[in-house]
Amino acid sequence: MDKTQLIHKFAPNADNLILILHELQNNHPQHYLEEEDLRAVASYLNMTHSQVYGVVTFYSMFSLKPRGRYIIRICKSPVCELEKGNRIEETLKKDLGIGAGETTADGRFTLEYTICLGHCDKSPVMMVNEDVYGDLKPEILPEILSEYN
Ligand code: FES
C-alpha cells in the first residue's frame, strides 16, 4: 500500500491527524516521518505544514529521522527504575553498542525511553515495536532480541 493509500484510509478530518501520522510511521521501514509525509498529510487535512510539524515534534513517539527496524523502548518511570530498570538499560546499551536515541549500524535496533507502559506489576518493562516484555533480567535480553531480525 503506498503512502497516499495509507492516508486515504482515514477521513479528511483533522481529528485523524495522529492516526494518520502513526499509520505512515508504522509502515515506513525506518519508522519515521519524511518531510513529504508531513506535506501530504497537511494537504489532505487542509492544515498548514507548521500545524502538522508542531504535532509531530510535540509527541515523542514520532520521529523525523530514520530509525531501526525495531524500536526498543525502555520504561523510565519510577516503578521500573526501582525494579532495577537501570540494569536493563545498561545491558542493552552495552550489548547493542548504542546510547538512547541511537540506531545500531546495521539499522536493526533503535533505543528509546518511554514513560510508564501500564505494566508496572511486571517491572522492569520494555517494548520492542508493539511487543511488551516484563519481569526483565539482563540474562534474558539476548534471547528476546534474537527474535527480531
Ligand atoms: S513504571 Fe514501567 S510499566 Fe509502569
Side-chain angles (χ1 to χ4, degrees), residues 106-129:
D106 61 1
R108 191 167 157 218
F109 293 110
T110 295
L111 198 57
E112 295 186 350
Y113 295 143
T114 184
I115 55 169
C116 180
L117 292 165
H119 297 276
C120 314
D121 57 321
K122 295 190 182 318
S123 60
V125 175
M126 71 175 189
M127 283 181 85
V128 182
N129 286 3

Side-chain angles (χ1 to χ4, degrees), residues 31-147:
H31 286 102
Y32 81 112
L33 293 163
E34 296 183 56
E35 185 57 37
E36 67 177 38
D37 299 335
L38 274 54
R39 277 198 296 275
V41 173
S43 169
Y44 182 63
L45 298 181
N46 200 22
M47 299 173 73
T48 65
H49 175 272
S50 60
Q51 285 174 313
V52 175
Y53 182 83
V55 168
V56 169
T57 53
F58 180 79
Y59 291 104
S60 62
M61 66 258 197
F62 295 125
S63 177
L64 290 169
K65 60 178 191 179
R67 295 185 291 181
R69 291 193 299 284
Y70 305 106
I71 314 289
I72 301 172
R73 295 185 173 91
I74 304 167
C75 177
K76 293 291 282 180
S77 287
V79 178
C80 282
E81 286 285 88
L82 286 172
E83 288 296 331
K84 301 188 169 49
N86 56 342
R87 284 180 56 214
I88 301 304
E89 178 182 350
E90 285 165 16
T91 303
L92 285 168
K93 284 179 174 173
K94 187 161 115 343
D95 290 355
L96 297 173
I98 56 173
E102 295 177 351
T103 299
T104 53
D106 61 1
R108 191 167 157 218
F109 293 110
T110 295
L111 198 57
E112 295 186 350
Y113 295 143
T114 184
I115 55 169
C116 180
L117 292 165
H119 297 276
C120 314
D121 57 321
K122 295 190 182 318
S123 60
V125 175
M126 71 175 189
M127 283 181 85
V128 182
N129 286 3
E130 304 304 316
D131 304 325
V132 177
Y133 295 93
D135 298 320
L136 292 171
K137 294 178 179 55
E139 54 270 26
I140 64 172
L141 293 173
E143 187 185 334
I144 293 173
L145 298 187
S146 71
E147 294 174 26

